[in-house]
Amino acid sequence: MKKTIIIVDDHLLIAKALEGIIGNFDDFEVIDVAENGKDLIEKFKNGQKIPDIILLDISMPIMNGFETASWLKENHPNIKVMALSMQGDDNSVIKMIRNGAKGYLLKNTHPKDLETALTKLNSDGFFYPDWASKIIFSNMADEKSNEKKKKISEREKEFLTYTVTELSYKEIAEKMCCSPRTVESYRDQLCEKFDLKTRVGLAVFAIKNGFAES
């Protein structure tokens, strides 16, 4: 049995061209075309069969691809959404993925590659070409780094308040009732988290982020 697809694109010529291309695929068939997210929702309300896959454009009037993907994620999480757009910038890719898209292709994709992508999406649950995967992995690395930077312990915060003073690390250790080695570990951890090199850098960071007064 062929997997069913709905195309959501406000450009009728493109949608019909896609429908014709997919009509030549052995394992897929287009069962409807919607002009935007609102149109798609209305079709569902009127009894339209829920498809296996939705090919979703991003730039559409009334209800764009980001909003539509988010709605589908909330209301029809089993539908596999494949973004198919002219927009391949980092922000568009990441936003669509966050809003529930399981795949991302550009509209200049070769028909054979589209068939491969749909097959992979159906079998694996997702499909991202190499260029999109690089964007996703890069973003994940950045988020992990930012999350790490947010985690500052209370003792590290206390240490930061002393970095703006003239106290030596040994004297700071006495103030904090711990060993100099422990203070050095606070220093090293904070320098690693925030890519800082010197005590001056730590002091400037402490002032800028409200952990100490100048």
Side-chain angles (χ1 to χ4, degrees):
M1 183 180 294
K2 291 187 176 184
K3 295 299 179 180
T4 56
I5 295 175
I6 289 180
I7 298 170
V8 184
D9 195 317
D10 63 314
H11 293 98
L12 185 60
L13 286 176
I14 293 177
K16 288 299 182 181
L18 279 170
E19 185 176 5
I21 290 171
I22 295 171
N24 293 318
F25 298 166
D26 293 335
D27 300 321
F28 302 94
E29 64 174 340
V30 175
I31 59 173
D32 207 346
V33 173
E35 295 181 4
N36 52 60
K38 184 177 180 182
D39 185 29
L40 176 68
I41 293 171
E42 287 300 319
K43 287 178 180 293
F44 285 158
K45 287 181 179 178
N46 292 327
Q48 170 61 58
K49 177 183 177 182
I50 303 300
D52 300 300
I53 296 170
I54 285 181
L55 287 180
L56 182 61
D57 188 23
I58 292 178
S59 297
M60 298 181 294
I62 304 176
M63 187 172 181
N64 63 34
F66 300 122
E67 297 165 332
T68 305
S70 182
W71 184 88
L72 288 167
K73 181 181 179 181
E74 180 70 22
N75 294 276
H76 296 283
N78 292 329
I79 297 178
K80 299 179 179 69
V81 176
M82 171 79 80
L84 187 60
S85 175
M86 294 298 294
Q87 301 180 38
D89 60 283
D90 292 17
N91 288 336
S92 294
V93 173
I94 296 303
K95 190 172 181 179
M96 283 300 288
I97 300 306
R98 286 176 173 166
N99 286 12
K102 301 301 182 182
Y104 204 108
L105 288 175
L106 296 178
K107 285 186 176 179
N108 61 1
T109 297
H110 191 279
K112 197 65 182 175
D113 293 330
L114 172 59
E115 184 176 16
T116 298
L118 290 172
T119 300
K120 288 285 188 181
L121 178 66
N122 179 59
S123 61
D124 300 341
F126 63 92
F127 176 82
Y128 307 111
D130 290 343
W131 65 268
S133 295
K134 289 178 181 177
I135 292 174
I136 295 168
F137 289 134
S138 176
N139 181 263
M140 288 173 60
D142 290 343
E143 286 187 345
K144 184 176 181 181
S145 176
N146 291 335
E147 186 64 27
K148 183 179 180 182
K149 288 180 179 181
K150 293 178 184 177
K151 295 178 180 178
I152 304 177
S153 70
E154 292 302 316
R155 292 291 276 175
E156 287 173 337
K157 291 177 184 178
E158 183 181 357
F159 166 73
L160 283 170
T161 65
Y162 290 117
T163 59
V164 300
T165 70
E166 295 183 357
L167 295 173
S168 67
Y169 285 130
K170 182 179 180 180
E171 291 170 329
I172 292 175
E174 292 175 356
K175 289 282 188 181
M176 295 182 67
C177 300
C178 63
S179 69
R181 186 180 295 276
T182 300
V183 164
E184 289 173 1
S185 73
Y186 294 148
R187 176 198 63 197
D188 294 343
Q189 289 167 12
L190 287 165
C191 283
E192 181 182 355
K193 286 179 184 179
F194 299 97
D195 194 24
L196 303 171
K197 305 297 182 185
T198 64
R199 178 166 175 171
V200 173
L202 283 166
V204 171
F205 173 83
I207 293 170
K208 283 185 176 180
N209 289 276
F211 296 117
E213 296 181 0
S214 58

